[in-house]
Amino acid sequence: MTFQPLETVTPAGSMPAVDPVCGMRVEPARAAATVDHAGQTYYFCSKSCAQKFQATPTRYLSGGAEPHACCHGAEHSDVTTAAPAVGANERVEYICPMDPEVVSNRPGACPKCGMALEPRTVTLDAAENPELRYMSRRFYVGFALGLPVFAVAMSDMLPGQPLHSFAGVLNWVQLALATPIVLWCGWPFFERAWRSVVNRSPNMFTLIALGVGSAYLYSVAAVVAPALFPAGFRGAHGDVMPYFDTAVVVTVLILLGQILELRARGRTSQAVKRLLGLAPKTARRVERDGQERDVPLAEVHTGDTLRVRPGEKIPVDGPVLEGQSSVDESMITGEPMPVVKGVRDVLIAGTINGEGTLLVRAERVGGDTMLAHIAQMVTEAQRTRAPIERQVDLVARYFVPAVVLISLASFAGWAIWGHESPLAQGLLHAVSVLIIACPCALGLATPMSIMVGVGRGADLGVLIKNAAALETLHRADTLVIDKTGTLTEGKPRLVELTPHGDVAADDALRLAASLEQGSEHPLARAVLAAASERQLKLDKVDNFRAVPGEGVVGVAAGRSLALGNPALMHAHGISVDNPTATGDRATTLVYLAIDNRLAATLKLADQIKPTTALAIAALHRDGLRIIMLTGDQRRPAEHIARELAIDQVIAEVQPAQKADVVQRLQREGRHVAMAGDGVNDAPALASAEVGIAMGTGADVAIESADVTLVRGDLRGIVRARQLSAATLANIRQNLFLAFIYNGLSIPVAAGALYPWLGWEISPIWASVAMSLSSLSVISNALRLRAKRFD
């Protein structure tokens, strides 16, 4: 199984293309510009990229240019190199968890939502998140300087107010301590707020900066020029009370909330880190002189021969050259039972060898292994957007302006109808509204669930390519399934051997397998596999010759052998009674002749996968109508359909017609998921609402599908549907938490309940509530990691 990266140039209307200048993925239909060069069409995310490409196309096509990174439609910034990601010498790109279209070449804040950017590709040895370190340093300074400010503010609650006579001096002390907290510790909030204004994308930091800035500037004016304030801002003693404690405590609490959020968000990448951690650090290489030595995995190259000893992790993808062993592939496929691997069987990097010693040829190493591609697919899927986010985006677009208006209305209401110091009370309530209404929880509700759900799928051996598939899979009511390689194993197996005359069955199989050692035909592999299962020792074959379209001949153990179809037998003067396949199952009959006498008949057939019946039964219980769509003949297809209780069979379908069948079902009002593994299934997989590829199938099928089952086991569809339903339920829970929080908290912060219940919320408690709302959404999303699926 291999995963191919997207090509740089992709025809319009098909898969996303890649901008050759900045590397950003572009939907051809939505490209900002296109350029035709050397007979190819290239798609660009912006006109700026297209202009650069037109000026020096060879620079970008040859890979000699410095790549650029897009940042929400802004002009591209210069690239700085960073630590390698999955492969060596790869630059690190940073992406916004809420707005995955925002990509930057360095860590920082998203210009759209203000959230900290994350590395696009997760690495096992990634250093501490620079944003976490950045915020932590400011939090500790703010906390140390803020304690005295908070203590002074709370002193007014002491009996007799013993420090009130020192209020003038203490106000200046608060000013001195609060200024570095607000202007240095809280500087990232103001910086992001300014960027949101410039980009016309108001976000949570717009509200935070307005709230903290208003409280701080008001307090500075109250200390420096108190005489300028009208009576509405003065207390019972005629003084103007500063609110440095509000600005300071809100800043420190929001910094704390950012730290907790960054740590929680970091946990969503643990599934990918677990995958990357499966690869060993070293490999034992067999040198050309026969000597063996342990080398770092980075020094292993394609074509090297490696020895994997019992209990060791397999370092690369590649076929077994020598030996036989059981291999634990559960960490990749989610299947607990070990798989027996022998000569020519392909091993997967990161899986664990059992009791035998294996010699392996390295075919895919480093970033080309299936393990690395799985990690890449998971991280890319975690950054895609689900259709439900469009509704959230629509709400968020008007949310911040609406909150600002509510804040102003709150100030006006308190200024007109407030009690003691009505203007000062109005300011506090206005600030409380701004702080408590930060839309962070709303923005995180969907992407956090998607990130955790995709990671959980990787643990289950279900690779989800995009968020739309994760959201819609459980809504499918019809599952169209290919037969060969999907319901069946896709390769023939020896199901019956009938000896003739005095030849023993094992002797006939041993001679047939000996003769097939020199053949690459699928039937040859089936005979060799049967001999391997019976642990038969094969003979050396001389004068081997393949007869095209008929079979193979040779000499083994001093006996003349011929193995093939009736035409080969007739050529050797041997008559066979049953020259055609019989029965309901599609079978192939192969004949063995020894010294020009018929010695055995071998019946080979494609077998139903052992787990298929269980999967079909589970999918039926889940309410799916299951349709077999195959190019094979109707009689064997119907036989398998009866055996598996499949609802409908559509057989003898040409590859080009498979997509037509899927589209016809969709026109009938059905929500169609399609599962297949071959090149001929790719158009149908792309046409279905959700395409599901077998991980053991063709690359083009995998690229066309939205979901890949690593093991090729249909039970993975059951798990994927359960995961889809659980993720969508989690998204709805998160959106409920976000909406109910804002729906209840904003009126309370504005003071709507004060006339009846006497309830008020200070800006300090508003900041606590705001942080808790974000953490509640993140914590709820993380629950998906512990959920069990059948």
Side-chain angles (χ1 to χ4, degrees):
M1 170 185 173
T2 59
F3 293 84
Q4 300 293 338
L6 289 174
E7 296 294 333
T8 300
V9 183
T10 307
S14 60
M15 294 184 297
V18 176
D19 186 324
V21 174
C22 68
M24 188 174 182
R25 295 190 176 211
V26 182
E27 292 287 347
R30 301 179 182 178
T34 60
V35 174
D36 291 327
H37 174 73
Q40 296 282 4
T41 301
Y42 296 85
Y43 301 88
F44 300 88
C45 67
S46 67
K47 292 182 180 178
S48 174
C49 277
Q51 291 168 355
K52 291 176 182 178
F53 181 82
Q54 280 182 311
T56 54
T58 55
R59 178 186 176 201
Y60 297 100
L61 296 179
S62 64
E66 280 289 323
H68 291 70
C70 294
C71 198
H72 191 54
E75 187 65 25
H76 302 311
S77 57
D78 293 333
V79 168
T80 56
T81 57
V86 175
N89 301 319
E90 289 186 13
R91 66 192 179 96
V92 175
E93 290 183 335
Y94 294 85
I95 190 168
C96 175
M98 281 172 50
D99 302 284
E101 69 273 15
V102 176
V103 183
S104 177
N105 60 300
R106 58 175 64 89
C110 171
K112 185 175 181 181
C113 70
M115 293 189 67
L117 302 178
E118 301 174 342
R120 182 197 290 272
T121 303
V122 178
T123 58
L124 187 61
D125 55 352
E128 181 187 15
N129 187 334
E131 184 74 11
L132 179 58
R133 186 170 60 249
Y134 180 73
M135 290 292 183
S136 298
R137 186 166 58 243
R138 282 168 163 72
F139 168 74
Y140 293 129
V141 172
F143 182 80
L145 295 178
L147 277 178
V149 177
F150 184 73
V152 169
M154 293 299 102
S155 66
D156 284 345
M157 295 183 170
L158 296 175
Q161 297 183 336
L163 299 181
H164 187 73
S165 57
F166 302 99
V169 175
L170 292 176
N171 285 345
W172 285 97
V173 172
Q174 290 185 80
L175 173 59
L177 293 173
T179 297
I181 296 174
V182 173
L183 298 185
W184 184 76
C185 299
W187 181 252
F189 308 147
F190 293 103
E191 190 177 38
R192 296 174 187 188
W194 173 251
R195 200 174 299 161
S196 73
V197 173
V198 171
N199 288 287
R200 287 179 286 185
S201 299
N203 54 49
M204 61 174 288
F205 293 102
T206 314
L207 301 180
I208 291 171
L210 283 173
V212 172
S214 300
Y216 174 73
L217 292 175
Y218 168 84
S219 301
V220 170
V223 173
V224 175
L228 299 178
F229 285 80
F233 284 102
R234 299 181 182 276
H237 301 287
D239 53 352
V240 181
M241 180 180 296
Y243 296 112
F244 286 116
D245 58 314
T246 294
V248 165
V249 175
V250 168
T251 299
V252 172
L253 285 174
I254 291 174
L255 284 169
L256 177 61
Q258 289 289 297
I259 292 170
L260 295 175
E261 180 185 305
L262 286 167
R263 288 178 176 171
R265 280 163 52 188
R267 293 170 62 189
T268 62
S269 63
Q270 287 187 359
V272 178
K273 288 185 177 180
R274 280 196 297 270
L275 283 171
L276 295 175
L278 296 176
K281 300 294 186 293
T282 62
R284 190 167 188 82
R285 185 166 62 195
V286 181
E287 307 292 355
R288 294 187 177 183
D289 60 3
Q291 298 295 317
E292 299 181 8
R293 67 186 184 95
D294 293 327
V295 297
L297 194 58
E299 295 182 11
V300 175
H301 303 289
T302 301
D304 286 351
T305 299
L306 308 176
R307 184 176 298 280
V308 184
R309 291 166 291 191
E312 289 184 335
K313 289 183 178 179
I314 294 164
V316 297
D317 291 0
V320 176
L321 299 177
E322 180 182 305
Q324 181 172 310
S325 181
S326 60
V327 177
D328 180 1
E329 297 183 338
S330 60
M331 60 288 296
I332 300 292
T333 65
E335 186 64 38
M337 294 300 295
V339 181
V340 176
K341 298 285 187 177
V343 175
R344 299 182 184 177
D345 289 331
V346 176
L347 302 177
I348 302 172
T351 55
I352 301 174
N353 185 25
E355 73 285 350
T357 298
L358 300 173
L359 278 182
V360 185
R361 184 176 71 246
E363 280 194 348
R364 298 180 182 87
V365 301
D368 292 329
T369 62
M370 184 175 117
L371 184 64
H373 282 294
I374 288 175
Q376 180 183 354
M377 286 182 66
V378 172
T379 53
E380 287 180 356
Q382 287 179 328
R383 308 305 183 191
T384 57
R385 308 198 74 184
I388 197 172
E389 286 192 75
R390 296 171 188 165
Q391 304 167 28
V392 178
D393 288 344
L394 184 63
V395 173
R397 185 181 307 168
Y398 302 102
F399 184 81
V400 173
V403 169
V404 173
L405 291 176
I406 294 171
S407 175
L408 293 173
S410 176
F411 176 81
W414 279 91
I416 297 170
W417 296 293
H419 48 88
E420 183 181 349
S421 305
L423 293 177
Q425 288 292 318
L427 177 65
L428 283 180
H429 282 281
V431 170
S432 294
V433 170
L434 292 172
I435 298 299
I436 207 168
C438 288
C440 185
L442 185 62
L444 283 172
T446 299
M448 285 301 301
S449 297
I450 294 297
M451 292 173 72
V452 178
V454 169
R456 186 73 180 97
D459 289 338
L460 298 170
V462 178
L463 303 183
I464 298 161
K465 190 177 291 186
N466 56 66
L470 187 59
E471 181 183 330
T472 59
L473 179 58
H474 81 283
R475 288 202 285 260
D477 54 29
T478 303
L479 178 63
V480 176
I481 306 183
D482 172 54
K483 181 178 76 69
T484 305
T486 305
L487 294 171
T488 66
E489 293 180 346
K491 55 185 180 181
R493 293 183 61 186
L494 180 64
V495 295
E496 184 179 330
L497 187 150
T498 305
H500 302 290
D502 57 355
V503 179
D506 280 355
D507 288 339
L509 179 58
R510 174 176 56 81
L511 292 171
S514 299
L515 193 55
E516 293 284 34
Q517 288 179 98
S519 174
E520 290 293 334
H521 195 279
L523 296 180
R525 289 196 289 270
V527 174
L528 285 166
S532 177
E533 289 175 5
R534 300 190 190 184
Q535 298 182 339
L536 301 178
K537 186 176 180 180
L538 305 186
D539 298 313
K540 180 182 177 181
V541 176
D542 298 317
N543 301 326
F544 174 84
R545 180 170 58 91
V547 182
E550 295 185 6
V552 292
V553 295
V555 177
R559 309 176 77 176
S560 176
L561 305 177
L563 182 70
N565 60 20
L568 183 65
M569 296 297 104
H570 290 313
H572 285 73
I574 301 170
S575 175
V576 293
D577 297 329
N578 187 12
T580 60
T582 59
D584 291 321
R585 185 80 59 85
T587 60
T588 300
L589 299 181
V590 177
Y591 303 92
L592 173 67
I594 301 177
D595 296 331
N596 292 328
R597 294 179 58 190
L598 184 64
T601 301
L602 291 74
K603 180 183 288 188
L604 298 102
D606 190 5
Q607 298 291 292
I608 295 175
K609 292 179 180 179
T611 58
T612 296
L614 294 173
I616 295 297
L619 291 168
H620 271 139
R621 288 195 299 270
D622 204 23
L624 279 175
R625 176 176 176 80
I626 300 176
I627 300 173
M628 180 196 294
L629 182 63
T630 179
D632 289 352
Q633 295 180 352
R634 175 167 297 278
R635 188 177 181 186
E638 289 180 341
H639 176 81
I640 291 177
R642 285 194 299 271
E643 191 171 334
L644 295 174
I646 289 174
D647 301 304
Q648 183 180 352
V649 176
I650 304 176
E652 300 177 7
V653 178
Q654 296 297 318
Q657 297 173 323
K658 287 192 173 184
D660 295 337
V661 172
V662 170
Q663 291 164 7
R664 175 171 58 79
L665 291 169
Q666 290 171 328
R667 287 194 297 271
E668 292 173 0
R670 296 189 174 277
H671 298 287
V672 180
M674 166 74 188
D677 77 320
V679 173
N680 60 336
D681 298 318
L685 291 171
S687 298
E689 283 150 273
V690 180
I692 305 168
M694 301 295 107
T696 51
D699 293 345
V700 66
I702 292 168
E703 288 296 336
S704 302
D706 303 297
V707 177
T708 300
L709 308 181
V710 178
R711 179 67 177 169
D713 181 348
L714 285 177
R715 288 178 300 178
I717 300 179
V718 181
R719 300 188 190 104
R721 281 173 57 83
Q722 292 173 346
L723 178 63
S724 171
T727 302
L728 192 62
N730 195 269
I731 289 172
R732 288 172 176 155
Q733 293 162 6
N734 282 347
L735 290 174
F736 174 80
L737 289 173
F739 279 117
I740 200 69
Y741 161 80
N742 283 304
L744 296 177
S745 62
I746 291 176
V748 175
L753 298 182
Y754 182 80
W756 297 278
L757 301 175
W759 288 2
E760 293 182 89
I761 294 181
S762 71
I764 293 173
W765 285 107
S767 64
V768 172
M770 184 272 291
S771 298
L772 289 176
S773 71
S774 298
L775 292 175
S776 66
V777 165
I778 294 172
S779 300
N780 186 57
L782 290 173
R783 289 192 309 111
L784 281 172
R785 295 169 58 209
K787 188 173 181 62
R788 298 188 64 85
F789 299 94
D790 297 335

